[in-house]
Amino acid sequence: MTDAPILSVSHLKKSFGEHEVLRDISFDVSQGDVVSIIGASGSGKSTLLRCINFLEQPTAGTILFQGKNAETQWSRAQYHARVGMVFQSFNLFGNMSVLKNCVVGQMKVLGRARREAEEKALMYLEKVGMAPYRDARPAQLSGGQQQRVAIARALAMDPEVLLFDEPTSALDPEMVGEVLGVMRDLAASGLTMLVVTHEMAFARDVSRRVIFMDAGVIAEDGAPQDIFVHPRQARTREFLSRILQK
Amino acid sequence: MSSLPTTFFGWVGFILDKYGTLFLSGVGVTLLVAITGTVIGFVIGLLVAILRTIPVAPRDPWYRRMPLRVLSALLNVYIEVFRGTPMIVQAMVIYYGSMQMGLRMPVLVAAVLIVSVNTGAYMAEIVRGGIISVDKGQKEAACAIGMTHWQSMVHVVLPQAVRNIMPSIGNEFVVNIKDSSVLNVISVNELFFMSKSAAGTYLRYFEVFFITACIYLALTFTVTRLLRLLERKMDGKTNYIIYGSQSDSKASIVVPKEGGVPND
Ligand SMILES: Nc1ncnc2c1ncn2[C@@H]1O[C@H](COP(=O)(O)OP(=O)(O)OP(=O)(O)O)[C@@H](O)[C@H]1O
Ligand SMILES: [Mg+2]
């Protein structure tokens, strides 16, 4: 692992009106890190991811990506191409086929030729097991299939970092496995991942680091065995005992 | 000289025979004005919608916020003015106003301009409704892969919005076929204007406008049917091929379309 962090968040704050959702968040992510972000509902996990890729405008703080300020030194398009996002509700483009979903960004944002874009799209669709469905429309697929396509769409942009916001929580239980399987492979392939999740098994077994958020701050940050086996804070213990009981 | 007809249908036949080409040319102008007016109005509506949805953050510098603020105020004025006044009055103001300012527009150009600008104001609001109907996640996903506002609107949001507002677009088209008749006040040779001159000679207003009504109805009915066909075309195929599946490498399964609108 190289020393310079690929992503560095410092003193990030976000308020919605009076409501301070993120209060001074700082952390670094190294190349190849797989970080799980856990925490109670409403603790600001989604808001953190959305601030990192500027779907929400942070109120304060800086985000460095590969050492350069994401807001001022990166063009928005280039930054977004390198820092991808997978949504809880998939958000596949409803007016396009599966293949087109994975091609359109490559062509419009990265300026790739159609041939190249389609080859790349098919390669990633193959990887997530969705190549046979290349002509289907999103509405014709199951949730698990849609999410795998959404992952292929993000991968087709050749991102350096991929953000996942609860990628499996909108799925029926029997489909969770297929998506987690894909994510496990990605983690093994060395992709840098930031995963907001309620899947404690994934956080414990796949990620190399776990961030526990509580009320807009990072309450605890460490290796999975530290967080899960020897949590230092009372609130971490309390959250884990609550969620692991289920 | 043959004697004039005595019955209603006698007159209808007589008028059709005598003024058939007049009616036809009226239909031509009406369709020309309605079609180009609707298409241009639609494009105006799309552009206004794209401009009005440009995101501004409070953090943006003033030289970015100010022009957008002014632009959006101007667009609102445009929409309010053209939705809030009758097209017949707009026709008078624009046509005679431009003439007084020394701009002699051909009357057909004025007609298309008036209908386009008027339709644009309505379309802007219709498209805005369409954009609201598209899930916010679509725009976010487009942004998240790096598309600009323009790209995400053109490739992702508007195609879905337009599909959702096709019925309203059809309405506007039908309204334009009918309401282009008010342009007779600036002497556009459309169907109503032609009917008036046909009726004038023999003073057979009832028979002539009975024919005119039938023609309008035929036009609007045909247009609604055609738009239905177009809508169905836009929905695409209901089945897709699963490549390399099972035994047959081109096996196709039919999946009932989700949320399909029950039509007819
Ligand atoms: N656009 C918004 N406007 C106002 N408040 C918001 C907005 N988005 C989020 N919030 C608030 O911010 C807080 C944190 O929300 P966030 O979605 O980040 O939580 P979360 O940790 O992702 O929760 P969950 O596990 O339920 O997804 C919540 O109290 C929420 O009400
Ligand atoms: Mg959330």
Side-chain angles (χ1 to χ4, degrees):
Chain A
M1 229 166 271
T2 49
D3 285 324
I6 185 166
L7 191 72
S8 173
V9 175
S10 53
H11 305 296
L12 188 72
K13 292 185 179 130
K14 175 67 187 176
S15 306
F16 293 106
E18 294 287 282
H19 184 20
E20 202 175 23
V21 176
L22 297 180
R23 296 182 288 176
D24 203 18
I25 301 258
S26 299
F27 66 98
D28 289 344
V29 179
S30 311
Q31 175 96 45
D33 245 1
V34 178
V35 183
S36 287
I37 302 174
I38 62 173
S41 181
S43 55
K45 308 179 298 291
S46 297
T47 307
L48 174 60
L49 283 200
R50 292 167 61 81
C51 281
I52 290 177
N53 79 349
F54 298 104
L55 289 177
E56 292 304 344
Q57 185 65 37
T59 314
T62 49
I63 295 163
L64 298 185
F65 175 64
Q66 295 178 335
K68 290 197 289 182
N69 189 312
E71 226 175 330
T72 55
Q73 290 173 293
W74 281 99
S75 85
R76 201 40 68 86
Q78 285 304 315
Y79 179 73
H80 275 139
R82 288 173 169 79
V83 179
M85 176 119 172
V86 174
F87 298 86
Q88 179 174 358
S89 47
F90 332 129
N91 297 349
L92 290 178
F93 303 135
N95 56 323
M96 300 175 194
S97 68
V98 162
L99 183 65
K100 190 103 194 294
N101 260 278
C102 302
V103 163
V104 65
Q106 297 186 65
M107 289 177 64
K108 302 296 169 194
V109 178
L110 302 177
R112 287 183 186 148
R114 177 176 299 277
R115 270 285 297 277
E116 188 194 353
E118 286 186 348
E119 269 168 26
K120 185 146 259 183
L122 278 175
M123 183 182 96
Y124 284 114
L125 284 171
E126 199 79 58
K127 203 162 169 172
V128 301
M130 286 302 292
Y133 294 87
R134 71 190 80 143
D135 285 341
R137 293 260 174 156
Q140 296 166 324
L141 301 177
S142 75
Q145 291 175 324
Q146 288 188 57
Q147 194 60 297
R148 285 186 281 150
V149 173
I151 292 173
R153 174 177 70 179
L155 291 174
M157 302 296 288
D158 292 325
E160 317 256 347
V161 177
L162 209 43
L163 312 171
F164 294 79
D165 189 2
E166 299 194 30
T168 58
S169 34
L171 299 179
D172 290 338
E174 69 266 30
M175 296 172 189
V176 170
E178 64 192 57
V179 172
L180 286 181
V182 168
M183 291 173 62
R184 193 166 284 139
D185 292 346
L186 286 179
S189 76
L191 181 70
T192 310
M193 295 161 65
L194 242 68
V195 186
V196 170
T197 184
H198 288 299
E199 293 291 329
M200 291 305 137
F202 181 88
R204 191 178 44 213
D205 305 335
V206 182
S207 57
R208 270 151 253 167
R209 179 175 158 201
V210 176
I211 288 178
F212 171 65
M213 279 186 69
D214 184 53
V217 296
I218 294 180
E220 206 159 336
D221 179 350
Q225 59 270 30
D226 293 337
I227 304 273
F228 283 96
V229 186
H230 312 289
R232 273 170 293 150
Q233 304 230 9
R235 46 188 174 171
T236 318
R237 272 196 295 276
E238 201 237 335
F239 170 79
L240 286 174
S241 69
R242 200 153 26 91
I243 201 154
L244 291 175
Q245 256 164 27
K246 282 193 231 159
Chain B
M1 193 172 156
S2 62
S3 62
L4 292 172
T6 50
T7 61
F8 175 78
F9 287 106
W11 271 107
V12 168
F14 177 79
I15 289 162
L16 275 180
D17 191 42
K18 203 157 163 62
Y19 296 115
T21 46
L22 202 70
F23 280 117
L24 271 186
S25 79
V27 166
V29 173
T30 289
L31 281 181
L32 177 74
V33 171
I35 292 173
T36 42
T38 308
V39 169
I40 298 175
F42 177 55
V43 173
I44 294 176
L46 291 177
L47 289 176
V48 170
I50 293 179
L51 291 175
R52 284 208 295 186
T53 49
I54 294 176
V56 268
R59 260 194 181 186
D60 285 339
W62 67 269
Y63 54 81
R64 186 177 150 79
R65 273 180 303 159
M66 271 301 285
L68 283 176
R69 189 84 58 80
V70 172
L71 183 70
S72 120
L74 287 178
L75 292 175
N76 282 337
V77 170
Y78 159 61
I79 291 168
E80 291 304 328
V81 166
F82 279 89
R83 286 202 313 170
T85 54
M87 190 159 80
I88 193 167
V89 177
Q90 293 163 15
M92 300 297 269
V93 172
I94 292 180
Y95 185 61
Y96 291 107
S98 63
M99 200 185 279
Q100 239 170 51
M101 284 183 243
L103 185 71
R104 277 200 74 93
M105 265 187 281
V107 75
L108 205 55
V109 173
V112 169
L113 176 75
I114 290 158
V115 175
S116 306
V117 174
N118 181 279
T119 308
Y122 284 92
M123 287 287 192
E125 284 296 288
I126 292 173
V127 174
R128 193 169 70 87
I131 290 175
I132 293 171
S133 77
V134 176
D135 179 31
K136 242 178 60 220
Q138 296 285 310
K139 168 94 182 158
E140 290 188 346
C143 287
I145 56 171
M147 287 195 199
T148 60
H149 173 67
W150 174 266
Q151 288 172 330
S152 64
M153 289 307 272
V154 169
H155 299 293
V156 176
V157 177
L158 287 179
Q160 298 180 58
V162 168
R163 172 62 194 89
N164 292 348
I165 60 174
M166 272 310 279
S168 309
I169 295 174
N171 265 346
E172 279 302 304
F173 196 0
V174 167
V175 164
N176 282 341
I177 290 178
K178 296 186 297 175
D179 286 6
S180 54
S181 58
V182 306
L183 296 172
N184 81 87
V185 296
I186 56 167
S187 307
V188 179
N189 290 332
E190 43 70 48
L191 183 54
F192 182 84
F193 185 84
M194 292 312 222
S195 307
K196 252 191 356 185
S197 47
T201 325
Y202 295 95
L203 298 174
R204 303 308 300 189
Y205 285 95
F206 180 37
E207 287 83 358
V208 166
F209 280 98
F210 174 76
I211 296 171
T212 311
C214 291
I215 298 177
Y216 273 119
L217 188 61
L219 291 181
T220 53
F221 185 78
T222 315
V223 162
T224 15
R225 292 292 106 180
L226 287 177
L227 286 172
R228 270 290 169 74
L229 277 181
L230 180 65
E231 271 186 54
R232 213 164 295 165
K233 189 119 188 272
M234 285 171 92
D235 286 342
K237 291 194 284 281
T238 48
N239 59 332
Y240 58 90
I241 291 168
I242 299 180
Y243 291 90
S245 71
Q246 289 101 37
S247 49
D248 188 354
S249 70
K250 281 251 164 167
S252 106
I253 61 168
V254 180
V255 184
K257 184 131 60 287
E258 188 189 82
V261 190
N263 44 17
D264 295 43

